[in-house]
Amino acid sequence: MSYMVGYGPRYPQRIHHRGSSLPSMAVHPGKIQCSAGFSVMSSQSPNPNILMGAVVGGPDQHDRFPDERSDYEQSEPATYVNAPLVGTLAYLAHSFGQI
């Protein structure tokens, strides 16, 4: 399983990210209040918006990944997870003349 959203045939579908888990304005043009978002949080449906390239926390100490929005420790994309990867990839791309 890939822990980068949108990469490969199997990646996290239910990440803990408000913009990714709420329906788009094209589908739901009305305002979604903060408390109304909690019903989406507990839904087992995949996120309607794919946060392409986001890296989630990954598996737990027993190599399990439940892919649940409520498990923010494993399913939340955060800068401290993504920044080292982006920095490393930028260095490699620069080193091989890609940028």
Side-chain angles (χ1 to χ4, degrees):
M1 175 174 199
S2 167
Y3 296 106
M4 180 181 282
V5 177
Y7 180 76
R10 218 173 129 226
Y11 56 85
Q13 302 287 312
R14 295 164 200 85
I15 64 171
H16 184 95
H17 186 271
R18 186 171 178 88
S20 178
S21 59
L22 292 176
S24 70
M25 290 180 69
V27 174
H28 189 284
K31 187 174 184 177
I32 299 174
Q33 299 293 339
C34 187
S35 58
F38 286 106
S39 64
V40 174
M41 178 77 135
S42 59
S43 166
Q44 289 301 309
S45 299
N47 288 10
N49 306 301
I50 298 175
L51 194 61
M52 198 67 90
V55 178
V56 297
D60 65 12
Q61 66 269 28
H62 303 290
D63 202 28
R64 292 180 300 219
F65 184 77
D67 197 13
E68 295 174 1
R69 280 181 211 92
S70 60
D71 188 356
Y72 62 88
E73 290 176 335
Q74 270 106 352
S75 68
E76 185 171 82
T79 55
Y80 67 85
V81 174
N82 287 277
L85 177 67
V86 171
T88 302
L89 293 175
Y91 171 78
L92 289 171
H94 183 266
S95 297
F96 289 96
Q98 300 296 313
I99 56 172

